[in-house]
Amino acid sequence: MPRWTMAIDLDKCLGCQACTVACRMENNTPIAGPEQAAKGRAMLWNEVIPSSDGEYPNVTARYIPRPCMHCDDALCVKVCPVKATYRNEEGTVLVDYDRCIGCRFCTVACPYAARYFNWHEPYYPETLKAHLNPDVAIRPKGVVEKCTFCVHRLRKAREQAAAEGRVFQASDYVPACVETCTGRARYFGDLDDPASLVSQLLKSPRAFHLLEELGTHPKVFYLREG
Amino acid sequence: MSRIEQTVFAPLRTTGKSFWVLFTILAALTGWGVFAYIYQLSDGLGVTGLSRPVYWGIYLTNFVFFIGISHAGTLISAILRVTQANWRRSITRIAEAVTVFALCVGGLQILIDMGRPERALNVILYGRYQSPFLWDFTCISIYLFSSITYLYLPMLPDLARLRDKFDGAGWRKWLYTTLALGWKGNYEQHHRLEKAIAILAIAIIPIAVSVHTVVSWIFGMTLQPMWHSTILGPYFVVGAIFSGIATLFLAMALMRKVMHLEEWLTEKQFNYLGLLLLVMSVLWTYFTLSEYVTTFYGALADEMPVANAKIFGEFNWAFWTMVLFNGILPFVILIRRSGRTVMGTVIASIFIDIGMWLERFTIVAPSLTRPRLSQWAIYQPTWVEASITIGSLAMFALLFVVFFKLFPSLAIWEVEEGVEIEERRKLAEKIRLEDLRAASGVASGE
């Protein structure tokens, strides 16, 4: 059974936000609008967080793209009262939108703030409506949603492999943000395969996890700048 | 009819104009809250001031506050019953009613906070005990069930009296007859009732403690800064009893005035319960001090922004008001005997109830405004949240007022029993003294 993992090389990240846009288009994330966004209700399954260390003139600025970490010991899964949030057998953390009661315990528990709530009925401008991705369900008002590692792409890749009569390979599946990354800073693959690129990268001395000290065992890891 | 019966039954018989004025005001405020909720339901939780990452706000504050208040009653009344404090007899009914209605309104807050309240049944259908939410659901349900039983059982003899002596309208007569469950007041029935009450009184103490512990664990089990703390459980329980007794004082003072119960709700009750309130105030201060001293001394990078936001930042008004209202003012008022009067305890209780609501608020909101990774946020509640909060308070008062329009405000049989016990004691003392005198007379005569 594969364990899907993402690696993000901060040395290569330009902070261009292409991943954020690709994610939005791929996953039909509703548009919050400037007024709602100012209230902190922008829906960004993938957020590029700017951070800086030190004081002028000795400042180091960096960009940290943050998808869902798909933690192995996910707090959101622990606290969900109705098992609307769950880890599937491949370790990806998903949300059952039809079961979610909207109590927002998971959004509060997630230390990465990677989960989003539908404050209103989802809204799409006319121009966008024609381009909604038919593979991804539109979430109703009052439920929680977040990055799925583009799990619909995995389903599609498996179906395609089956239709073509060949064995599904880990390289057949890649989330939209990884596919689109301008600086090719993102890698995706199977952590259970020791030969995979992500497994190799995890051995790098540059590799680290976000908020490692919390013991959530995230499956997204980063490569520190040079 | 005895005097206590006359006094207690009088408000059930006749309804004055002031009752309808109060009823109308409370019903209007409740209705306003209902309107705000319908608006929220149709438009979504976006009409609140909540956002990412401040996903919880006023509603959770209200939830913790009301569940806290519910510790007034049943717990206090149970402890006093178990310890056989005789002065409890006239306040148990009021205390137990506070509990039941606070629990109802408190539980409602979670439903109000849900994005999908129509799926609330999922908690039963798919509930999983890994989530502290389920612990709450279980403990609060058990507490509500046992509190209603604990309110109802000691009311049986009083209901039977009403059945026999009430001369009002038809449906009321029917209500009392049905609820009295054929109570005759014979020895066997009394024996069983006392036994049931004794068992419930003991069982309800751990239940009540468990309730506020798991309420705190909704926060404590997450890793959010200043939530993830072992002190939270006992801190919440102490705060709950503290705000509970304060609310009980307000209810008692109101009932005493409106229903003319001065003879039974005497200075003694206010003095003794005032001492308990003083102890809770000191305990609360102790817990608060422990929490902040350890936070500041350890100075963890995640916790410091939250602690600073509370003490120096945008929540400082709430924090310092809370310290003043919960710690300093109640102590100053209640430490002297002259402060533990009806007036003194009521003033202290108003401070405490406001202070404890602010305490709940400064626990819920600040931690969420200072997340580890995303941007810091500001939480600004909207009119919808304010309206629903006011509506909830009004609803709590309304339930309380309507309940005591229908049911006796004192446990008449218990009070009478207390008087009897007192008289017997006096008699026994008299006999003992006479014996002593006789014995000494014999001794000196020799």
Side-chain angles (χ1 to χ4, degrees), chain A residues 61-209:
Chain A
R62 62 184 350 189
Y63 293 100
I64 304 177
R66 192 238 54 223
C68 170
M69 299 288 135
H70 294 276
C71 307
D72 275 342
D73 200 351
L75 287 163
C76 54
V77 174
K78 259 192 201 168
V79 300
C80 179
V82 294
K83 208 181 178 184
T85 282
Y86 60 99
R87 274 178 82 235
N88 71 8
E89 61 275 22
E90 296 176 23
T92 308
V93 178
L94 298 171
V95 182
D96 183 342
Y97 310 122
D98 292 334
R99 187 180 283 192
C100 174
I101 58 172
C103 69
R104 306 189 301 294
F105 204 165
C106 55
T107 55
V108 163
C110 174
Y112 304 96
R115 304 184 134 251
Y116 296 83
F117 182 72
N118 285 279
W119 300 101
H120 295 283
E121 212 64 68
Y123 166 75
Y124 304 95
E126 281 305 316
T127 41
L128 205 63
K129 260 186 195 160
H131 300 284
L132 289 179
N133 184 355
D135 294 337
V136 179
I138 288 173
R139 282 76 57 184
K141 174 182 82 181
V143 302
V144 169
E145 58 179 68
K146 63 162 197 76
C147 157
T148 62
F149 268 173
C150 288
V151 71
H152 55 282
R153 285 183 166 223
L154 172 62
R155 274 178 218 133
K156 256 192 148 168
R158 285 222 165 94
E159 280 165 20
Q160 185 148 7
E164 289 169 9
R166 58 185 173 80
V167 179
F168 168 80
Q169 285 179 320
S171 55
D172 288 344
Y173 158 47
V174 59
C177 57
V178 180
E179 189 180 30
T180 209
C181 182
T182 322
R184 305 206 173 188
R186 293 194 185 221
Y187 307 92
F188 193 77
D190 175 12
L191 202 62
D192 272 0
D193 173 8
S196 71
L197 186 54
V198 284
S199 296
Q200 295 298 317
L201 287 172
L202 191 54
K203 288 180 193 157
S204 156
R206 290 165 61 212
F208 74 100
H209 292 98

Side-chain angles (χ1 to χ4, degrees), chain B residues 171-189:
Chain B
W171 71 273
R172 295 271 289 271
K173 194 93 183 163
W174 172 85
L175 181 74
Y176 299 136
T177 313
T178 315
L179 288 179
L181 295 178
W183 176 268
K184 288 189 203 71
N186 55 36
Y187 175 79
E188 178 65 20
Q189 282 184 334

Side-chain angles (χ1 to χ4, degrees), chain B residues 147-422:
Chain B
S147 296
I148 291 174
T149 318
Y150 194 65
L151 171 68
Y152 178 55
L153 279 186
M155 206 153 63
L156 276 175
D158 290 349
L159 285 166
R161 281 185 202 219
L162 273 170
R163 174 196 61 199
D164 301 337
K165 296 179 181 173
F166 187 73
D167 44 11
W171 71 273
R172 295 271 289 271
K173 194 93 183 163
W174 172 85
L175 181 74
Y176 299 136
T177 313
T178 315
L179 288 179
L181 295 178
W183 176 268
K184 288 189 203 71
N186 55 36
Y187 175 79
E188 178 65 20
Q189 282 184 334
H190 258 294
H191 179 70
R192 287 190 183 185
L193 181 71
E194 296 274 0
K195 203 169 172 182
I197 293 174
I199 292 171
L200 255 178
I202 291 169
I204 223 155
I205 295 172
I207 294 173
V209 171
S210 81
V211 167
H212 229 65
T213 306
V214 295
V215 164
S216 86
W217 282 351
I218 281 200
F219 307 100
M221 290 293 154
T222 71
L223 296 181
Q224 295 306 334
M226 291 206 72
W227 277 5
H228 188 64
S229 144
T230 52
I231 206 173
L232 229 55
Y235 190 24
F236 267 47
V237 174
V238 163
I241 300 172
F242 187 36
S243 61
I245 301 175
T247 310
L248 178 57
F249 267 120
L250 298 182
M252 270 164 61
L254 183 84
M255 300 285 282
R256 179 181 138 105
K257 184 105 181 107
V258 174
M259 305 219 167
H260 311 291
L261 303 175
E262 287 86 351
E263 192 181 328
W264 298 280
L265 294 175
T266 60
E267 290 287 336
K268 188 180 183 180
Q269 271 83 14
F270 284 85
N271 178 26
Y272 283 8
L273 213 52
L275 273 174
L276 199 55
L277 192 62
L278 176 67
V279 171
M280 297 322 286
S281 168
V282 173
L283 264 179
W284 179 88
T285 311
Y286 165 70
F287 271 106
T288 309
L289 189 74
S290 326
E291 193 193 4
Y292 287 93
V293 168
T294 34
T295 303
F296 272 95
Y297 199 93
L300 285 172
D302 293 334
E303 293 195 335
M304 281 315 275
V306 181
N308 281 327
K310 291 191 199 189
I311 294 177
F312 309 110
E314 76 261 31
F315 295 99
N316 65 2
W317 62 273
F319 181 83
W320 292 109
T321 312
M322 156 190 116
V323 170
L324 183 70
F325 282 16
N326 287 348
I328 299 166
L329 288 177
F331 188 82
V332 171
I333 296 172
L334 299 170
I335 191 76
R336 291 169 310 158
R337 174 66 189 87
S338 59
R340 295 192 297 275
T341 55
V342 180
M343 187 52 113
T345 50
V346 164
I347 292 172
S349 296
I350 292 172
F351 285 137
I352 291 165
D353 266 339
I354 297 171
M356 279 310 293
W357 191 89
L358 289 172
E359 194 244 42
R360 286 13 181 145
F361 181 70
T362 55
I363 287 173
V364 175
S367 284
L368 294 175
T369 61
R370 301 289 190 276
R372 290 185 172 89
L373 279 182
S374 74
Q375 270 185 324
W376 288 3
I378 292 168
Y379 174 50
Q380 201 92 54
T382 61
W383 69 269
V384 178
E385 285 159 291
S387 304
I388 291 181
T389 304
I390 292 168
S392 302
L393 285 167
M395 188 185 189
F396 170 64
L398 186 67
L399 288 167
F400 189 81
V401 166
V402 169
F403 179 80
F404 282 117
K405 196 73 222 162
L406 292 174
F407 299 102
S409 49
L410 300 183
I412 299 171
W413 67 277
E414 277 199 274
V415 174
E416 283 179 352
E417 194 181 74
V419 172
E420 201 150 304
I421 290 173
E422 199 68 14

